[in-house]
Each structure stands twice: as C-alpha cells, then as structure tokens.
Amino acid sequence: MKSKQVNGTAVDLGTEAKIKEAAKKVFLKKGYDGTKTRDIADEAGVNLALVNYYFRSKEKLFNEVFDESAFAVARAINSIFDSDLPLEVKIYKLTEQFTELFLGQPDIPLFTVYEANRNADKMYEQVGLKDRTKSGIFEKQLEDEAAKGNIRPITRMHLEIVLVGLLSFPFMSRPVLAVNGIAGKEAFEKFVREHQKIVPEMVMTYLRKLD
Amino acid sequence: MKSKQVNGTAVDLGTEAKIKEAAKKVFLKKGYDGTKTRDIADEAGVNLALVNYYFRSKEKLFNEVFDESAFAVARAINSIFDSDLPLEVKIYKLTEQFTELFLGQPDIPLFTVYEANRNADKMYEQVGLKDRTKSGIFEKQLEDEAAKGNIRPITRMHLEIVLVGLLSFPFMSRPVLAVNGIAGKEAFEKFVREHQKIVPEMVMTYLRKLD
DNA sequence: ATAAATTTTAAATTTTTGTTTAAAACACTT
DNA sequence: AAGTGTTTTAAACAAAAATTTAAAATTTAT
C-alpha cells in the first residue's frame, strides 16, 4: 500500500514522498552544506537508512529538490514573458505570481540563488540546457515597444534582473527587517505587499519616461 | 617580530593576519557550512593547528569575518543616508559606493544575506545592537520631501530594500547571467555598469512621479 | 648566551556525518 | 499458511573534519 487518504487531507504520503517533503523543507532552510542526512530523516520521522534506500545519496535527493525549486522560478518567468500579453500586463502578472510563490515558500529566492552560485558549473549543464526556451518573443516585444517610442530601450536580461531582484530581495532580508522592527509573520507580509505594490509601478514608470 | 614590509607591498602579514585574510576569502566564497578549517589553513599556507591557535574555533573566526563584511555594508548605507546631502545625491552616491565595493568583492552581497539568514537570531543580538545608529535624519528627509510634494511618500525601509536589492542582485546572479551569454569578467562588469546606471534613475523617476 | 615565552609542527583524538549492512518486520501472492 | 519480495530498523562502517596535544623550533628578554 503506497499511500492513504483520510477524509480531506492526505495523511500518509508514503515514505518516499514524506522524505522528499522533508528534504525540501530542510534543504530550503539550511542549504546543501548545512543539511545533515539525519536532519531530513528526523524531519520526515523516518529511519535514517531510508533516505539512501529511496534516493541513493544526499546529492541525488538534493538535485531533485533543487531542480523543482529552480524550475518553478524559471517557469514562472518564462511562461509570462514568452506569452503575448502587453508588456505592462506581464510585469504586473510576474509581480503577482512571484509574490504568491514566495509568500508560500519564502526560502525559495535565497535558496535558489545561493545553490546556483555554489556550483555554477553544474548549473550550466543542468538548468542551462533544459531551460533554453529561446522563444525570443519577449526580446522582440521590448525592441518593438522601444522602436515605437513607448518605452526606453532595454534588454531582456536587464529588465529580468531588475524585476526578479526587486521581487526577491525582501525575502532575503527578513533578518534585516526584523532588526528594524518589522518582525513576525504579519508585519513581514504587510511589508512585502507594500513593496510588491511599488515594484511594477516603479518599473513601468521608469520604462515609460522617455528623455 | 610581528610583520614585515618589503619595498612597497606588505609581503609578510604575520600569521594571524594571513589566516584572517584567507578566512575572509574562503568564507565569502563557500559560506560557513561549506568551508573546512583545512581550506583556510591551505589558503593561508599555514599549519592547520594555527587556525585554532589564533582564533580558538572556526566559529569565532567566522564571526570576525562576518562582522567586518556586514559592517562594511551597513556603514556604507548609513554614512550616506544619515548625512545631510540632497536625496538624489544620496541615491547616486550609494549606487557608486556599492558598485565599487561589490565589484571589488563580488561575493559580499550573497554572503552577507545568506549568513544573516542562516542564524537570524544571533544576528539580532550581534549586529542589531551594534548598528542602531538611529539618527533619524534620513526618515525626516523623506517625510519633508514628501510633505513638500517633491517625492511620493515612502519609508526608509522600503527605499532601502529597493535600492540595496537592485544594487546587490546582479552579483548574486552570475550563474544566471552566464547561462544567458553574459560570461567572463569583462562581460559581467559591462552588464553591471549598465545596470547600475539604470538603478538610480529608476528610483528617482519613481519617487518624482506624483500622481 | 641562556632561559623563558611564543610560535609552529606533525600527529592524535574526538565528533560529525554520509553510506552500508544484515537482520527483522511487513505485505502480498498463490 | 508458506513463500517471496519489499520495506524498515538498529547497528556498523568509513571518511571527513574540528579540535587538541605534546614536542620542536623560533623569538624575545635578560
């Protein structure tokens, strides 16, 4: 018997899924180097040996977790940017999506960025190839809008870094916010919502100002 | 004999300083959990036992390194914001200072943010108290300018997160940039300079647009 | 120049940690 | 119910790593 459903909620996920869940939680919080295999087993409430029984090694398990996390972010960006919505809508949509994604899993931004840097080489092979959508839709849109004089000229990469940076940074700054009086889940969420209201407006105001 | 000076450059820093230098380099690159005491000793070209001889423990050494790094960032922010320059000048100045600081030590942003999160509690005690300048100059300036109708109302914390996020994020994104064709030191520096030209203009444009 | 203090070294010790093993418990089929 | 395959467990193992030790080398002070 693999898993069981009791009334609404999935109570027994099955051991493998339970380990994966626990791994996600611990890796996201402590990073690869900071995570002990025993932490994962404990968090899952499961015997230590089962981690390797189901996933062969700490590293293999980590890779699964990282790929999902990085892919969630990449997909959010690409599915929006490479659609055919107006530029302004894309920017507001990305803001909304990231806000919800990160409020649900506040460790994603720092985890993804940190682990991508920890082994930048592996990144290149692993994500680099998988993610090369290369639709070019967004690049073209930016060029067209600039040509029409609707926005300043800007590359996709510059705009992406600006947007993702703005949307991610508050979630990397909780300790700083805490020291400055913005402590606790409620205060933090309030700050984030205010911040994410600023972001698209700031970006659009900048793009629209032609000099 | 503690240290020696040969012609212009300091050649022999003394063992303790050599270890600290090495620790800075390795910790900044690999983080606390990813750093082995042996990495530091090797990098310093020094016997393993000397690390603990001079610094008692890996953790104590790390704390010194972290404090300096975090303090460099905090000082850069506060010395500018709590001066009595016009708002626009402050924003351009912070941009310049951060750009130079981070181009010289590109690991500072991610290191600082990551390690601050790794042990947020300790942060509160350690940095929290030391750094409470609380001059209030900047807050007052923002309120005054908003009251005069020169800028939109915004809190110091919101503006700080926007600015520091924008200025830091490119340095956390090297692997992503590399995958997108911006690889190598020169290309990266070029991208950063373009980016840091956008930042203050974007922030000022936003602040100045009154609706 | 000698003694005391300091610094450095190689090796040992102790913890921590990822992984493996072998047996036990369990589940499923016939 | 016996047999077969799968899952779980406690314990062992081996490698990595932080820290300590005790002696050797070096420096400093007298």
Side-chain angles (χ1 to χ4, degrees):
Chain A
M1 186 183 304
K2 261 294 155 85
S3 78
K4 224 181 266 184
Q5 297 272 343
V6 178
N7 62 56
T9 22
V11 162
D12 183 358
L13 290 174
T15 307
E16 186 171 347
K18 230 160 32 176
I19 293 170
K20 183 91 157 274
E21 284 296 302
K24 199 175 297 188
K25 184 165 173 186
V26 180
F27 276 136
L28 279 177
K29 178 147 211 121
K30 307 213 204 184
Y32 180 81
D33 289 321
T35 296
K36 319 301 165 206
T37 310
R38 282 167 180 81
D39 297 341
I40 296 172
D42 291 352
E43 175 71 36
V46 126
N47 185 282
L48 172 63
L50 291 177
V51 175
N52 278 349
Y53 176 77
Y54 282 106
F55 295 95
R56 308 285 303 168
S57 73
K58 178 190 174 187
E59 202 181 349
K60 292 235 174 61
L61 176 52
F62 172 82
N63 285 337
E64 290 194 23
V65 170
F66 177 80
D67 285 355
E68 283 175 26
S69 163
F71 200 61
V73 175
R75 187 178 37 217
I77 297 174
N78 291 332
S79 75
I80 292 174
F81 278 177
D82 294 332
S83 67
D84 66 349
L85 298 164
L87 181 58
E88 180 167 14
V89 176
K90 288 183 180 180
I91 286 167
Y92 277 88
K93 249 198 159 151
L94 190 76
T95 301
E96 278 166 38
Q97 287 228 180
F98 268 31
T99 303
E100 295 321 309
L101 177 62
F102 294 163
L103 279 177
Q105 293 177 267
D107 293 322
I108 281 195
L110 186 49
F111 170 77
T112 310
V113 160
Y114 189 79
E115 297 299 337
N117 274 274
R118 193 173 57 83
N119 204 327
D121 316 321
K122 203 180 291 175
M123 205 64 4
Y124 198 84
E125 302 146 25
Q126 215 164 25
V127 178
L129 305 175
K130 192 179 288 178
D131 186 33
R132 301 292 65 206
T133 333
K134 278 276 177 209
S135 83
I137 289 183
F138 191 55
E139 287 86 344
K140 190 162 186 333
Q141 181 174 35
L142 289 175
E143 286 165 22
D144 289 352
E145 293 288 324
K148 281 192 269 179
N150 294 335
I151 62 162
R152 313 196 202 206
I154 191 169
T155 68
R156 172 184 180 136
M157 216 53 230
H158 278 295
L159 184 50
E160 217 170 274
I161 292 291
V162 163
L163 265 170
V164 177
L166 281 169
L167 295 172
S168 303
F169 202 68
F171 295 91
M172 306 178 173
S173 307
R174 271 195 85 155
V176 175
L177 293 171
V179 170
N180 286 82
I182 298 159
K185 192 166 182 163
E186 331 79 49
F188 175 70
E189 280 207 26
K190 179 162 170 282
F191 181 88
V192 166
R193 302 239 178 243
E194 289 161 358
H195 176 86
Q196 310 299 51
K197 202 169 157 258
I198 294 175
V199 171
E201 204 167 337
M202 177 176 285
V203 172
M204 283 312 300
T205 306
Y206 170 79
L207 288 176
R208 287 243 174 83
K209 166 138 186 278
L210 309 163
D211 41 19
Chain B
M1 183 183 307
K2 262 291 155 84
S3 78
K4 225 181 265 184
Q5 297 272 344
V6 178
N7 62 56
T9 24
V11 163
D12 183 358
L13 289 174
T15 307
E16 185 170 348
K18 231 161 30 177
I19 293 171
K20 183 93 156 274
E21 283 296 302
K24 200 176 296 188
K25 185 165 173 186
V26 180
F27 276 136
L28 279 184
K29 179 149 211 118
K30 307 212 205 185
Y32 180 82
D33 290 319
T35 296
K36 320 298 167 207
T37 310
R38 281 167 180 80
D39 297 342
I40 297 172
D42 291 352
E43 175 71 36
V46 126
N47 185 283
L48 172 63
L50 291 177
V51 175
N52 277 351
Y53 176 76
Y54 282 106
F55 295 93
R56 306 285 303 168
S57 74
K58 179 189 173 186
E59 201 181 351
K60 293 235 174 61
L61 175 53
F62 173 82
N63 285 337
E64 290 195 23
V65 170
F66 177 80
D67 284 356
E68 283 177 26
S69 164
F71 198 62
V73 175
R75 188 179 37 217
I77 297 173
N78 291 333
S79 74
I80 292 173
F81 279 177
D82 293 332
S83 67
D84 66 349
L85 298 164
L87 180 58
E88 180 167 14
V89 176
K90 287 183 180 180
I91 285 167
Y92 276 88
K93 248 197 161 153
L94 190 76
T95 302
E96 278 165 38
Q97 286 228 178
F98 267 32
T99 303
E100 296 320 311
L101 177 63
F102 294 162
L103 279 177
Q105 293 176 267
D107 292 322
I108 282 195
L110 186 49
F111 170 77
T112 309
V113 160
Y114 189 78
E115 298 299 337
N117 274 275
R118 192 172 58 83
N119 204 328
D121 316 321
K122 203 180 291 173
M123 204 64 3
Y124 197 84
E125 300 146 25
Q126 216 164 24
V127 177
L129 304 175
K130 192 179 288 180
D131 186 34
R132 300 293 63 206
T133 333
K134 278 274 176 208
S135 84
I137 288 183
F138 192 55
E139 286 87 344
K140 190 161 185 334
Q141 181 174 36
L142 289 175
E143 285 165 22
D144 289 353
E145 293 288 323
K148 280 191 269 179
N150 294 336
I151 62 162
R152 313 195 201 205
I154 191 169
T155 68
R156 172 185 181 135
M157 215 53 229
H158 277 294
L159 184 51
E160 218 171 273
I161 292 290
V162 163
L163 265 170
V164 177
L166 281 169
L167 295 172
S168 303
F169 202 67
F171 295 91
M172 307 178 174
S173 308
R174 271 195 87 155
V176 175
L177 293 171
V179 170
N180 286 82
I182 298 158
K185 192 166 181 164
E186 330 79 49
F188 175 69
E189 280 206 26
K190 180 163 170 283
F191 181 87
V192 166
R193 302 242 178 239
E194 291 161 357
H195 176 85
Q196 310 299 52
K197 203 169 156 258
I198 294 175
V199 171
E201 205 168 336
M202 177 176 285
V203 172
M204 283 312 300
T205 307
Y206 169 79
L207 288 176
R208 287 243 174 83
K209 167 142 187 272
L210 311 162
D211 42 19

